[in-house]
Amino acid sequence: MDDPTRDGGTPPSDDEIHQRFIEAIIDQRLLPGTKLVEDKLGQAFGVSRTRVRQVLIRLAQEQVVTLEPNKGATVAQPSIEDAREVFEARALVEAVLVGRFIERATPADLRALEACIEAEEEARREGDQAAALRLSGRFHLMIAEVAGHQTFARMLAMLISRTSLILMSYAPLARSERQAFAAVPARWVDACRCNAHRGVLTALREARRPGAGLSDVATWLGESQQRMREHLADMEAGLCFNLPESPSADVVDLFSAPSPAARRPRKAPRGSGSKG
């Protein structure tokens, strides 16, 4: 049987399996270095090894999984150079996306960004660290969607997934906090903060203010891009490159359970959904 099912249900599609992996990485439930055994993953998803392998190949192309001959697949462990390159790439890509957002954004788009920040703040207040992480990445992706640059939007989605791996590898944590399947450590969440997003949103609103002259728009365009670059630079500056290795999660337990995004009743901002 090519695609075994669990409990008589319909097995997930390859895109759905891929999305579950990306969610687990963005939520920081699937840690760098975790061994990804095809048989166990097939058991967790109720699909064949062949289908699992195709998803792992796709994830490897996105640089969030490492495939090695005779060793199999593991969640990627970014090097220090990888971390530097990802933040450099994000600074370049997101500056362009911010500029295009200002050209295209409607009042509804600005309200959607506000709603995303508010949902992130609520998640933090409730101690829902995984939701806060997802919404933090979602803020950046919503800007990309409105910007309408499909190539950069796809690039940013992959860069956000890699950013999660970098934070798990290098965000400064006490050893006691680095436990597989424990709640997401608060300092991982704090790496991308709501106040930085609010600062970017304030500048975007000024650039889109009705009646703003060309000079004002140009000034706030530059300010928006600068605030985004500073936000990313602050995240990079907070990394610590001499941390102990994190333990790994049990992938059968991780993927046999429903996705947290599917379980959560919280009202999502317009256009929300996992992708970075």
Side-chain angles (χ1 to χ4, degrees):
M1 183 182 298
D2 289 336
D3 295 323
T5 62
R6 293 172 296 172
D7 303 324
T10 302
S13 67
D14 289 1
D15 283 344
E16 288 170 337
I17 295 171
H18 174 272
Q19 185 62 32
R20 288 289 300 277
F21 271 101
I22 294 300
E23 287 174 358
I25 289 169
I26 290 177
D27 292 357
Q28 301 188 351
R29 293 176 289 119
L30 190 57
L31 305 181
T34 300
K35 184 76 172 174
L36 302 173
V37 180
E38 292 175 4
D39 285 339
K40 290 185 177 181
L41 290 168
Q43 173 188 344
F45 287 113
V47 300
S48 67
R49 288 183 59 184
T50 300
R51 290 187 55 199
V52 168
R53 188 176 302 118
Q54 293 305 308
V55 174
L56 293 176
I57 290 171
R58 178 178 171 186
L59 291 165
Q61 292 170 342
E62 296 170 2
Q63 297 181 276
V64 295
V65 163
T66 300
L67 296 176
E68 296 186 69
N70 304 318
K71 291 186 178 180
T74 57
V75 179
Q77 294 182 293
S79 67
I80 295 173
E81 188 62 28
D82 290 335
R84 300 298 189 201
E85 289 179 4
V86 164
F87 280 103
E88 182 177 12
R90 284 192 64 172
L92 294 170
V93 167
E94 295 198 60
V96 173
L97 294 174
V98 162
R100 289 175 65 106
F101 178 94
I102 288 172
E103 293 174 0
R104 296 165 175 253
T106 66
D109 294 324
L110 293 167
R111 289 194 298 270
L113 285 181
E114 174 75 24
C116 183
I117 295 172
E118 290 176 352
E120 182 186 349
E121 290 172 337
E122 180 186 357
R124 290 171 185 268
R125 286 192 299 269
E126 294 179 354
D128 191 343
Q129 310 286 37
L133 282 163
R134 190 179 309 111
L135 289 161
S136 178
R138 186 69 195 140
F139 175 85
H140 295 262
L141 292 173
M142 290 173 73
I143 291 174
E145 289 168 2
V146 174
H149 194 308
Q150 294 185 8
T151 300
F152 274 11
R154 286 193 297 269
M155 288 176 61
L156 180 60
M158 290 187 287
L159 290 168
I160 286 174
S161 297
R162 294 180 69 193
T163 300
S164 285
L165 294 175
I166 290 164
L167 293 177
M168 285 188 280
S169 298
Y170 301 117
L173 298 172
R175 183 183 297 270
S176 61
E177 290 180 290
R178 301 177 69 80
Q179 297 176 2
F181 260 169
V184 177
R187 276 175 279 175
W188 284 352
V189 183
D190 288 342
C192 194
R193 293 182 291 272
C194 295
N195 60 349
H197 291 167
R198 284 202 174 277
V200 172
L201 177 57
T202 296
L204 293 173
R205 278 179 167 151
E206 288 296 326
R208 292 295 300 171
R209 180 169 47 83
L214 292 177
S215 176
D216 288 338
V217 171
T219 296
W220 285 106
L221 165 61
E223 182 66 20
S224 300
Q225 292 172 325
Q226 181 61 25
R227 291 185 185 188
M228 182 64 81
R229 283 191 291 264
E230 289 174 353
H231 170 40
L232 296 170
D234 285 346
M235 291 174 65
E236 183 180 1
L239 301 177
C240 180
F241 295 114
N242 59 351
L243 294 172
E245 183 176 351
S246 298
S248 59
D250 185 303
V251 294
V252 175
D253 290 342
L254 181 65
F255 289 119
S256 294
S259 166
R263 295 197 305 263
R264 183 170 297 104
R266 173 179 290 109
K267 183 179 179 181
R270 183 191 65 80
S272 69
S274 300
K275 140 211 123 320

